[in-house]
C-alpha cells in the first residue's frame, strides 16, 4: 500500500483518536458502527476500539486495500472510503463506466469531490513543508509506557492512585476507554500504563488489583446501562 495513505487520517480526524463526527463516525479513521464491527473493531459502553490508534489503523488499511481490490484505482478507493463503495459504483455507472476519479467526478457527492483533492494537497504539504515555512512543527511525544492485560473489572481511579499515576494519563495512553473502568471480559483488555506505574504495580500487584476490583462496579454498570 502507498505510504502516503497514512496522511488520510489528517483529513478524517485531524489526528484526534477521540474524534466523533456529526454522523457518529468515530476515531482517527472515522469508522461508522457497522463498518467498524465488520473490520473487527469492538465497541460497547466501556470500550470503543475505533478510538484505538493501532487497531483502527490496521482496520483502515484492510478497508482501503479491499476498496482498491474492488475499484483497481487508489483515487476511487479513497472516494469510496469517504462516501461508500455503493456511491462510487453508481457514479461509475452514470459516467458510462469510466474508471478514473476525474472521469466520474461530476457524478459524485460534493463532499467526495473535494475529498481526493484534499488528500493530494495534504501529501504536497507534508512533502514540501519546509519550502512553505512549515518545517518547525512540534512533535507530540508519547510517554514511555508498558502494558498489562486484564480480564477482571478494574476501577481506573483507584488503580491510578495506587500505582502513582493519574487517570488522565491512563486515558491519554488508552483512548479507546470510554469509562473510568475496565469491564470484566473473557477477552483480555491490554492497558498501556506509564513505566513508573508498572514498576510500582510489580511491588504489590495482588493487593493493588484486589483493591481496584472492589470500587464502583455497580455504579459504572448502571451508568453504562443508562447510556444510549
Amino acid at each position: 500500500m502507498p505510504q502516503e495513505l497514512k496522511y488520510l487520517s489528517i483529513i478524517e480526524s485531524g489526528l484526534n483518536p477521540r474524534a466523533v463526527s456529526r454522523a457518529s463516525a468515530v476515531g482517527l479513521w472515522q469508522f461508522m458502527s457497522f463498518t467498524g464491527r465488520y473490520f473487527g473493531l469492538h465497541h460497547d459502553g466501556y470500550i470503543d476500539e475505533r478510538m484505538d490508534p493501532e487497531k483502527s489503523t490496521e482496520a483502515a488499511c484492510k478497508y482501503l486495500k479491499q476498496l482498491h481490490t474492488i475499484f483497481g484505482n487508489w483515487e476511487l478507493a479513497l472516494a469510496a472510503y469517504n462516501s461508500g463503495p455503493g456511491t462510487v459504483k453508481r457514479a461509475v455507472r452514470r459516467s458510462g463506466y469510466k474508471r478514473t476519479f476525474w472521469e466520474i467526478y461530476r457524478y459524485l457527492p460534493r463532499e467526495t469531490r473535494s475529498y481526493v483533492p484534499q488528500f493530494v494537497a495534504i501529501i504536497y504539504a507534508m512533502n514540501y513543508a519546509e519550502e512553505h515555512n512549515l518545517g518547525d512543527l512540534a512533535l507530540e511525544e508519547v510517554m514511555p509506557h508498558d502494558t498489562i492485560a486484564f480480564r477482571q473489572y478494574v476501577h481506573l481511579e483507584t488503580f491510578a492512585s495506587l500505582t502513582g499515576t493519574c487517570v488522565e494519563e491512563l486515558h491519554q495512553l488508552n483512548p479507546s476507554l470510554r469509562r473510568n473502568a475496565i469491564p470484566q471480559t473473557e477477552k483480555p483488555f491490554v492497558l498501556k500504563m506509564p513505566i513508573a506505574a508498572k514498576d510500582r504495580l510489580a511491588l504489590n500487584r495482588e493487593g493493588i488489583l484486589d483493591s481496584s476490583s472492589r470500587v464502583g462496579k455497580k455504579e459504572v454498570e448502571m451508568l453504562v446501562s443508562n447510556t444510549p
Side-chain angles (χ1 to χ4, degrees), residues 1-208:
M1 298 177 67
Q3 288 293 312
E4 291 82 2
L5 290 174
K6 62 188 177 185
Y7 299 134
L8 194 63
S9 59
I10 299 175
I11 299 173
E12 288 292 334
S13 64
L15 298 180
N16 176 10
R18 293 182 178 275
V20 180
S21 75
R22 288 177 294 180
S24 298
V26 172
L28 280 180
W29 297 94
Q30 292 291 278
F31 276 100
M32 297 293 289
S33 178
F34 175 80
T35 309
R37 292 187 191 279
Y38 181 84
F39 286 98
L41 298 175
H42 171 79
H43 50 280
D44 58 27
Y46 291 93
I47 296 167
D48 193 335
E49 292 183 341
R50 294 175 295 174
M51 296 184 181
D52 184 304
E54 295 175 7
K55 291 182 179 180
S56 65
T57 297
E58 183 177 349
C61 289
K62 291 178 180 178
Y63 189 24
L64 286 164
K65 189 173 183 179
Q66 183 183 95
L67 293 172
H68 182 261
T69 299
I70 293 171
F71 294 103
N73 178 300
W74 281 114
E75 289 184 341
L76 291 186
L78 291 172
Y81 190 91
N82 174 253
S83 61
T87 299
V88 174
K89 287 178 180 179
R90 285 192 295 273
V92 168
R93 288 197 300 270
R94 292 178 63 194
S95 71
Y97 293 92
K98 299 293 192 292
R99 300 301 301 175
T100 70
F101 174 77
W102 296 108
E103 287 176 316
I104 71 167
Y105 178 87
R106 60 183 291 196
Y107 303 104
L108 291 168
R110 179 175 299 179
E111 179 184 334
T112 308
R113 293 179 204 167
S114 63
Y115 188 77
V116 172
Q118 283 182 59
F119 177 67
V120 174
I122 286 290
I123 294 176
Y124 178 86
M126 299 304 294
N127 287 334
Y128 296 96
E130 292 186 4
E131 285 84 343
H132 295 280
N133 298 317
L134 298 174
D136 296 327
L137 300 177
L139 296 177
E140 183 177 352
E141 298 289 340
V142 178
M143 70 181 74
H145 61 274
D146 203 340
T147 60
I148 179 173
F150 291 107
R151 281 192 173 90
Q152 68 190 77
Y153 167 83
V154 175
H155 186 257
L156 283 187
E157 289 186 9
T158 303
F159 181 80
S161 175
L162 294 175
T163 55
T165 185
C166 63
V167 72
E168 289 78 15
E169 288 182 336
L170 294 178
H171 278 292
Q172 182 179 350
L173 288 170
N174 303 275
S176 63
L177 286 173
R178 301 183 62 190
R179 310 289 175 189
N180 284 334
I182 299 170
Q184 181 175 342
T185 58
E186 293 185 6
K187 180 181 177 181
F189 178 82
V190 179
L191 181 78
K192 295 178 181 177
M193 58 188 299
I195 291 290
K198 181 70 177 290
D199 292 341
R200 189 162 177 176
L201 174 66
L203 298 175
N204 185 22
R205 181 185 177 107
E206 185 176 343
I208 290 174

